[in-house]
Amino acid sequence: MITILQETPRNPITLMGERAGVCWGGDIQDSAKNYKRGLDCIVSGHHRVMEYVNVEMILDGYSARVIREWYTHIGGAPTRLQASTRYVNYKEFSYVTPPAVAGKEEAQELYRGVMETIAKACRRLEEEYKISREDAAMLLPLGMTTRIVDKRNLRNLIEMSHQRMCSRAYWEYRALMQDIVEALRNYSEEWSFLTEHYFVPKCEAAGYCTEKNSCGRKQRRN
Ligand SMILES: Cc1cc2nc3c(=O)[nH]c(=O)nc-3n(C[C@H](O)[C@H](O)[C@H](O)COP(=O)(O)OP(=O)(O)OC[C@H]3O[C@@H](n4cnc5c(N)ncnc54)[C@H](O)[C@@H]3O)c2cc1C
């Protein structure tokens, strides 16, 4: 459900070191030195260098609801394209079923029934009443799946992980962050290092819990 596009550099730490080296008069022809310099930067908290690492990816099959939350992460001016709702095929629109609903047979039946009713109403509006598809699409639910092509920088994505890997975050967003971590981990060794050490919930980053209603994973600071 996550595709990391080839425009994402395979050696982000080396790239960060190369950019920093320009300003420090360093030897930027040497990859090993660039890697070491990049690592020093992020360990020291000089996170501006992370803004030189673009992450381009396709997110597919997540609900319009979680993508709405995704769009609140605006630091560093990310950009994206989203699947149009003007051309949705109502017969095939797919949707996310929360595990809590899927775990209860009657609840699932009710949920599925509402989704089918919406699809049917969209079709009738279009076919019987000649309403344009873009207007019938107003009925589409937030649980409907969508697809986006997203571009943002590493610094933004790490900030996002702190917020969205928190156990207080919406379950689908937490699952989405895990899918991204998994896809980046498999992308290259340098990404594997970054995800392991920097893609963490905010309590790990801060050393204590910042939420009012703590899950208890870490102590709140008094
Ligand atoms: C439990 C929980 C509940 C939530 N509930 C809600 C909710 O009810 N409604 C809602 O809308 N959101 C909610 N959120 C989302 C959250 O509050 C933020 O909107 C979201 O995380 C994106 O903002 P951000 O600052 O974290 O990230 P980004 O926008 O990516 O920003 C990252 C960092 O960049 C810097 N930055 C970004 N923009 C600026 C700027 N303009 N000026 C200066 N610095 C900037 C800041 O340091 C910021 O921390 C919730 C999140 C959680 C985990």
Side-chain angles (χ1 to χ4, degrees):
M1 304 234 259
I2 301 286
T3 308
I4 308 295
L5 297 170
Q6 62 177 2
E7 286 71 18
T8 306
R10 298 227 175 233
N11 298 313
I13 302 174
T14 307
L15 173 66
M16 287 186 263
E18 192 177 331
R19 294 295 179 270
V22 171
C23 301
W24 296 349
D27 175 7
I28 59 168
Q29 306 307 324
D30 186 322
S31 290
K33 284 184 182 164
N34 286 336
Y35 179 86
K36 188 176 173 306
R37 198 183 301 115
L39 202 54
D40 286 348
C41 280
I42 54 177
V43 168
S44 309
H46 299 292
H47 289 175
R48 177 69 69 179
V49 290
M50 290 180 178
E51 296 174 26
Y52 290 94
V53 178
N54 270 322
V55 183
E56 293 196 36
M57 55 191 166
I58 300 169
L59 280 62
D60 192 7
Y62 301 93
S63 71
R65 177 176 169 194
V66 80
I67 296 303
R68 183 171 161 263
E69 293 197 8
W70 177 269
Y71 287 167
T72 65
H73 292 270
I74 55 173
T79 189
R80 68 269 156 156
L81 296 168
Q82 181 170 15
S84 171
T85 49
R86 301 175 103 181
Y87 309 107
V88 170
N89 178 351
Y90 303 125
K91 284 182 200 128
E92 288 167 20
F93 97 72
S94 57
Y95 54 87
V96 171
T97 304
V101 173
K104 291 192 179 117
E105 206 175 312
E106 282 185 25
Q108 193 180 17
E109 207 47 51
L110 175 66
Y111 192 87
R112 186 171 33 224
V114 171
M115 293 298 179
E116 281 166 11
T117 301
I118 292 172
K120 206 166 140 193
C122 287
R123 274 203 303 278
R124 285 189 63 197
L125 282 174
E126 215 182 309
E127 291 165 12
E128 284 178 40
Y129 301 100
K130 307 299 171 211
I131 303 294
S132 67
R133 188 168 283 190
E134 70 175 9
D135 287 342
M138 287 294 238
L139 287 177
L140 292 171
L142 273 176
M144 183 186 80
T145 59
T146 189
R147 178 188 301 149
I148 65 168
V149 185
D150 191 87
K151 177 173 180 272
R152 62 189 60 236
N153 68 47
L154 171 62
R155 191 177 194 181
N156 175 295
L157 212 50
I158 286 175
E159 285 282 334
M160 187 194 289
S161 74
H162 298 340
Q163 194 73 275
R164 304 302 185 169
M165 289 170 90
C166 169
S167 58
R168 295 267 303 138
Y170 168 46
W171 68 266
E172 193 189 359
Y173 213 138
R174 279 186 277 133
L176 165 57
M177 276 317 305
Q178 280 306 331
D179 291 345
I180 290 171
V181 164
E182 199 54 33
L184 287 172
R185 182 185 291 137
N186 294 328
Y187 194 61
S188 73
E189 262 181 51
E190 289 195 16
W191 277 109
S192 176
F193 177 88
L194 288 174
T195 51
E196 186 185 341
H197 293 91
Y198 292 94
F199 285 64
V200 292
K202 56 193 173 190
C203 62
E204 287 294 338
Y208 57 89
C209 176
T210 60
E211 286 285 326
K212 189 171 167 209
N213 298 312
S214 179
C215 72
R217 187 169 180 270
K218 283 232 191 261
Q219 290 279 320
R220 293 198 70 239
R221 195 163 66 167
N222 295 317

